[in-house]
Amino acid sequence: MATGKHDQTLFELSLRMGDNALILGQRISAWCGHAPVLEEDIALANVALDLIGQASLWLGFAGEIEGEGRTADNLAFLRADREFRNCLLVEQPNGDFGHTLMRQFLFDAWHLPMLKALTLSSDERVAAIAAKSAKEATYHLERSEDFVIRLGDGSDESHRRMQDALDVLWPFAGELTCADEIDVALADKGLGPDLGAIGAEYKEYMERMLKKATLTADWQAPIRKGGKVGDHSEALGHLLPEMQWLQRSHPGAVW
Amino acid sequence: MASAFSSRRCLVSIMTAAEKAGEASGGQSSSVDRVWRWLEEVPDPEIPVVSVVDLGIVRDVSMEDGKYVVTVTPTYSGCPATAVISLDIENALHARGLEDVRIETRLSPAWTTAWITDNAREKLKNYGIAPPVEGACVGAMKAAGPVACPRCGSLNTVETSRFGSTPCKAHWRCNDCLEPFDYFKSF
C-alpha cells in the first residue's frame, strides 16, 4: 500500500467503506435476472446500484487523499485481492436467496449506524459521503430487516433456510464491529466513530430482531476476520477476476 | 456523441451579438437568471416531463472568470442518469452559445425530494407518477401518509415493491381502479 505524505488512516477508512460497498454491490448484481420474483430482482439490482454508487464516491475520495492520480475505477479494477479492505462478510458467496438476504441484513444493520456516525466525522468530505449514503442505507435495512423477520418467522422451509444462512454467516458479522489500530486512530482523530459503541448498538439490535425472526445466533462463535487488513477468504479470489476481467484484458478501455 | 452534439448546435440560434454585449457590460445577474431559465428546459432523462431544475438537481449557477459554473447534486449515488444529466446540461448551454461551462458536483446537503417544486409534483401526477408524500420520516422510504392513485385519486392504495424502474420510484397498486402505478419515493 502506498505510504506517502497523505493521511493513511483516512485513506484506509475510505477503502474500507468503499470496498465493502463495491464487493457487496458486485455480489448482489449477480442476482439480476435470477431473483425468485420480479420485484426482488429489481430490488436487488437497485440496492446494488446504490452500493456501487457509494463505492465510487468513497474510492474517488480515497484516490484524492492518496494524491497519486488513481481514480475510483483504477482502485476498483486494478488492485489485487490483498489490497482490498472489505470485511469478509460481503465477499461470501450468494448461496440461496436466504443467504443473500441474511448477508445483506447483517451488513445493513452495521452499515446504517456506521454511516450515521460518520456524518459527524471531522473530515467534511467523509461526512458528506456518509450523509448521502445513510439515506440509501436506511431503506436497505428496512427491506432486509422486513425480509429476515418474515422468512425467519415464516414456513418451516423458509425458517430452516434462514437459520442455515445465519449459522454460516454469523461468525463473519463480528469483524464489522471489531476495532483494530486503524479504527482506534480514526476515532482518536475524530475522523471515525468508536466501533465499540457501534458494536453495542449492533448487538442490542440483533438480539431484538433475531428474536422476532425466531432465529438463534451462536454468540460464542469465534469471529472470522481479516478482510479489513487484506487477509481475505478464497471467495474474493474468485470474485475479482470476473469483476476486473475487462480492465485486466483491455487496459484503459472506456465507454 | 460528437456528431449528435454538433448537429444540435446547428439547429438552435446562438447568442446574438447584442446579448453578448449586454453580458460584457456587467449584466451578470441577468445572464445567470437566463441560464437558470435555459436549464428549466433541460428534461430529466428518465422522467422527461420534469426538468432538472424542477427536481432540485441544479443547486447553483454562478459565473467565475467568465465561465459559467453549474452546480448539480446526484439524486441517488448510483443513479445512472447523473452522468447523462451533466452532459445534457453542458450540451444545452453549448447549444445556446455558451462555450465555457463547468459542471460541479455537490454532495452536501444531500438531495431530498423536498426540493421538488409544486409545479413538478403536478406534472409528475399528470404523467402517472404519484409525487412523493413528504413527512416527518423523510429518509425512511415508507410513505409518510397515504399515497393517492395518480389515475383515479383514490387513497385506497398499497405498496407492492419499494423498488421500481428507477432508483427514485416504488411500485404501488390502486385497490379501487386496480391499476399499478409508480410512486416517487420520499427521500
Side-chain angles (χ1 to χ4, degrees), chain A residues 13-139:
Chain A
L13 172 71
S14 312
L15 287 187
R16 287 176 177 188
M17 295 305 293
D19 287 345
N20 278 336
L22 176 68
I23 299 301
L24 187 55
Q26 170 72 11
R27 272 285 181 233
I28 54 179
S29 299
W31 276 100
C32 193
H34 300 281
V37 291
L38 180 63
E39 285 78 6
E40 280 317 299
D41 203 288
I42 294 169
L44 285 163
N46 268 285
V47 174
L49 200 59
D50 285 341
L51 289 171
I52 291 169
Q54 294 171 16
S56 158
L57 296 174
W58 286 117
L59 296 181
F61 179 50
E64 273 178 44
I65 298 164
E66 187 187 40
E68 290 175 14
R70 287 205 282 183
T71 63
D73 278 359
N74 294 156
L75 288 167
F77 298 125
L78 300 177
R79 276 181 302 154
D81 56 352
R82 297 296 294 259
E83 296 171 281
F84 275 79
R85 293 292 180 263
N86 57 281
C87 59
L88 296 181
L89 175 70
V90 296
E91 70 198 37
Q92 297 312 304
N94 283 339
D96 62 10
F97 189 62
H99 271 71
T100 290
L101 280 176
M102 182 57 76
R103 184 186 56 200
Q104 191 71 38
F105 174 62
L106 296 176
F107 178 76
D108 293 341
W110 165 81
H111 199 207
L112 181 59
M114 181 69 183
L115 289 169
K116 283 186 173 168
L118 285 173
T119 62
L120 306 173
S121 172
S122 56
D123 186 289
E124 61 179 21
R125 293 162 300 176
V126 169
I129 298 173
K132 181 85 202 149
S133 306
K135 295 184 83 171
E136 294 160 357
T138 300
Y139 69 90

Side-chain angles (χ1 to χ4, degrees), chain B residues 102-113:
Chain B
R102 191 173 82 232
I103 310 287
E104 276 196 359
T105 302
R106 183 189 291 168
L107 284 185
S108 180
W111 179 79
T112 160
T113 46

Side-chain angles (χ1 to χ4, degrees), chain B residues 11 17 21 34-35 58 80 86 90-91 98 103 114 129 137 155 157 175:
Chain B
L11 286 172
R34 193 174 46 199
V35 170
V58 179
S86 295
E90 255 181 291
N91 284 349
L98 301 187
I103 310 287
I129 300 173
C137 63
L155 292 175
T157 56
N175 288 332

Side-chain angles (χ1 to χ4, degrees), chain B residues 10-79:
Chain B
C10 295
L11 286 172
V12 293
S13 62
I14 59 168
M15 239 200 276
T16 63
E19 280 175 320
K20 278 186 177 156
E23 212 149 90
S25 67
Q28 205 176 88
S29 69
S30 72
S31 68
V32 164
D33 288 347
R34 193 174 46 199
V35 170
W36 273 106
R37 284 199 303 278
W38 288 341
L39 293 178
E40 277 164 15
E41 291 166 21
V42 178
D44 177 81
E46 299 275 10
I47 311 169
V49 288
V50 288
S51 80
V52 294
V53 173
D54 285 336
L55 287 176
I57 292 169
V58 179
R59 302 312 303 153
D60 191 32
V61 178
S62 62
M63 203 171 184
E64 283 172 26
D65 305 326
K67 201 187 223 336
Y68 285 94
V69 181
V70 179
T71 305
V72 296
T73 190
T75 51
Y76 287 74
S77 41
C79 183

